[in-house]
Amino acid sequence: YLTSLPWDGYAIGGSLGNGRDELKKLLKWMMPLFDVEDRRDKCRHLLGIADVDSIHNAVVSGVDTMDSSYPTKLARHGTLMTKDGLIRIKRGQHARSYGVKIDFDCECSTCVHYDRAYLNHLFKSNEPLALQLASAHNLHFMNQLMAKLRNDVLEG
């Protein structure tokens, strides 16, 4: 019934599945339903997508747009996103990581101006600046990831 209404697009989600694998199966089943008649040209938006693997799977499955609080939620808890995986900056191993960038290839303002030891100190001191710098980094990471995925889609 809903697909017969004149929506600009379709929102998929809320809480889909009990994990990455179940979400992948659901999208594999659901996305072909949007690839018929007038549904083909409408935007497909996935609500509340989280981690990098799920985002990649959503794009490969044909999702056009998505939203997520994942990067800032991670940042609030002292976890930073990198191309090599997650860094838990509050751990003691980072207390003396002077001069070590969060992510060596990252050019965000946090990585350019601050090192892991300073962010560790900010989090351990409960400084609000820690949340801002970590969020700025994670959002930059996510923007770079999405730009790469968008380019991959355009190149086929």
Side-chain angles (χ1 to χ4, degrees):
Y1 168 76
L2 288 176
T3 56
S4 68
L5 297 174
W7 306 116
D8 292 330
Y10 301 102
I12 305 163
S15 180
L16 280 179
N18 291 322
R20 207 178 292 143
D21 291 333
E22 196 168 331
L23 174 62
K24 188 175 185 177
K25 287 177 188 173
L26 283 166
L27 287 175
K28 186 175 181 179
W29 171 80
M30 185 179 291
M31 295 312 290
L33 300 174
F34 296 113
D35 200 25
V36 294
E37 300 168 10
D38 62 334
R39 297 180 211 163
R40 186 175 291 119
D41 298 326
K42 293 186 178 183
C43 179
R44 293 157 287 198
H45 179 83
L46 186 57
L47 300 163
I49 194 69
D51 60 280
V52 172
D53 290 337
S54 295
I55 289 169
H56 185 266
N57 179 57
V59 170
V60 169
S61 297
V63 171
D64 298 307
T65 61
M66 59 202 81
D67 63 88
S68 176
S69 62
Y70 185 68
T72 52
K73 184 183 286 186
L74 283 179
R76 287 192 307 272
H77 294 283
T79 302
L80 304 168
M81 303 170 81
T82 74
K83 64 178 175 9
D84 296 320
L86 301 177
I87 293 176
R88 288 164 180 79
I89 200 68
K90 292 194 253 183
R91 290 189 174 166
Q93 70 194 57
H94 301 295
R96 298 197 185 279
S97 296
Y98 303 111
V100 180
K101 288 174 71 170
I102 295 165
D103 192 342
F104 295 102
D105 295 329
C106 184
E107 295 300 323
C108 76
S109 61
T110 301
C111 287
V112 168
H113 298 290
Y114 306 102
D115 60 20
R116 291 183 185 189
Y118 184 62
L119 264 73
N120 174 276
H121 160 73
L122 291 175
F123 271 103
K124 292 292 187 176
S125 302
N126 292 317
E127 287 287 340
L129 180 59
L131 306 176
Q132 294 172 340
L133 294 176
S135 292
H137 168 77
N138 283 355
L139 290 170
H140 179 83
F141 174 87
M142 191 62 74
N143 283 334
Q144 294 301 110
L145 172 68
M146 296 310 296
K148 181 188 178 311
L149 289 173
R150 184 173 29 257
N151 194 43
D152 290 348
V153 167
L154 292 172
E155 290 181 358

